[in-house]
Amino acid sequence: MTRVADLLELVRAPAALSVPGDVVAGAAAAGALGPRTPALATASVLLYWAGMAANDWADRGLDATERPERPIPSGRVSPGLAVGLAAGLTAAGVGLAAAAGGRRAAAVAVPLAATIWGYDLLAKNTAAGPAVMAACRGLDVLLGAAGGRPVRALPAAVTVAAHTWTVTALSRREVDGADRALPLRTLAGTALVAASAAVPPGPRSADPAARAHGHCGERFGAGRRAVGAVAAALPAVLAGWYAARYGAAQARVVAEPTAGRVRRAVGAGITSLPALQGALTARAGAGLLGVAVAAAAPLGRRLARKVSPT
């Protein structure tokens, strides 16, 4: 009999902590943060879990040889249940996105779902695999932006997509290990991703009311400048946290490119993503929310010790 724990392993449940930040970062960049954002983030999680279940269903033959401990080849989850769960989660995710965000959200959720299934069924084992998975994450960011001005979220979408490319490229070598050239390339990509996320928000015009209050106004202005300095530094701090965690794991692969180290680097890339999303959210001017998003990173690492995110 299938247990809930087996289904959680099937969908790699802890890895879903890396998903809501896509929507939040996109919404923040597009000026669309609001009551609809949590529902769109939930829809994103449902689609992510659908992709994980579909992934294991599509790989059930290969996993029987390479990962016989996974839920399907071990007999803990039947192939029919896995594909049915994937289809149901897909329908639920698209339906929730449409209900919460209307036509504009549905116009992103439908191609996002199609791209997820396209990756699992067609592209995963081809040269296009990393690019298709990167497109999934980029669309996920744009799902959050659907209620605002999506063009403003394009830089964030590209940044998250670039990070996803590095993780996916590494994940293809989780079983056999890699040569040193691959982690060197992904490490360079991580450095560029972190640098792009560290760019502080643009300067804002001074508050004219603060200038009209003499000495008190000056002190108020000084306080605002201090707060502004912290806000400007926050994206760099969070991006640095992301780069340190994920970059260190990739550097260890460069030193010794074994399958075990590759798997740990992939896990670090998944669980460090909230720090990057937090940096992007803070860069859009939502500093406290960015910190909240980034806080999912250590939680994800703890849960990954119980259920593998890779």
Side-chain angles (χ1 to χ4, degrees), residues 4 63 117 141 146 149 193 200 208 239 274 310:
V4 172
D63 283 347
W117 280 87
V141 174
R149 301 182 65 179
V193 165
T310 70

Side-chain angles (χ1 to χ4, degrees), residues 10-309:
L10 177 72
V11 300
R12 297 166 177 83
L17 288 172
S18 71
V19 177
D22 287 344
V23 170
V24 173
L33 285 171
R36 296 178 178 181
T37 304
L40 291 175
T42 302
S44 174
V45 169
L46 294 174
L47 290 171
Y48 183 87
W49 281 340
M52 292 297 100
N55 175 77
D56 270 27
W57 178 77
D59 277 358
R60 62 194 185 279
L62 182 62
D63 283 347
T65 300
E66 295 184 346
R67 296 185 178 186
E69 74 282 358
R70 290 294 300 161
I72 295 177
S74 67
R76 290 176 289 133
V77 175
S78 70
L81 176 58
V83 73
L85 180 63
L89 287 169
T90 300
V94 172
L96 180 57
R103 293 181 180 177
R104 294 180 66 180
V108 180
V110 170
L112 172 57
T115 305
I116 290 170
W117 280 87
Y119 173 81
D120 287 334
L121 300 181
L122 299 172
K124 178 168 49 182
N125 296 318
T126 72
V132 175
M133 180 56 75
C136 290
R137 281 288 190 167
L139 286 169
D140 204 32
V141 174
L142 294 179
L143 179 62
R149 301 182 65 179
V151 68
R152 292 185 175 179
L154 285 176
V158 170
T159 299
V160 172
H163 163 80
T164 304
W165 182 91
T166 69
V167 176
T168 308
L170 283 171
S171 72
R172 292 155 73 93
R173 308 305 305 169
E174 285 184 304
V175 174
D176 300 322
D179 58 53
R180 287 183 170 84
L182 174 60
L184 282 172
R185 289 196 300 271
T186 61
L187 186 56
T190 298
L192 292 174
V193 165
S196 69
V199 176
R204 298 182 180 182
S205 59
D207 184 353
R211 295 194 299 263
H213 290 288
H215 185 59
C216 291
E218 291 176 7
R219 286 188 295 175
F220 180 68
R224 285 176 61 88
R225 285 193 294 274
V227 171
V230 172
L234 189 55
V237 171
L238 296 176
W241 180 18
Y242 152 79
R245 168 73 181 169
Y246 184 32
Q250 291 172 87
R252 287 190 284 271
V253 179
V254 173
E256 187 180 331
T258 61
R261 289 198 172 188
V262 171
R263 283 194 295 272
R264 287 191 286 274
V266 172
I270 294 170
T271 58
S272 298
L273 179 53
L276 174 64
Q277 296 160 337
L280 294 169
T281 302
R283 189 180 69 177
L288 290 177
L289 185 56
V291 172
V293 169
L299 177 58
R301 287 196 293 273
R302 292 191 188 96
L303 292 176
R305 296 173 189 149
K306 299 181 181 294
V307 179
S308 173

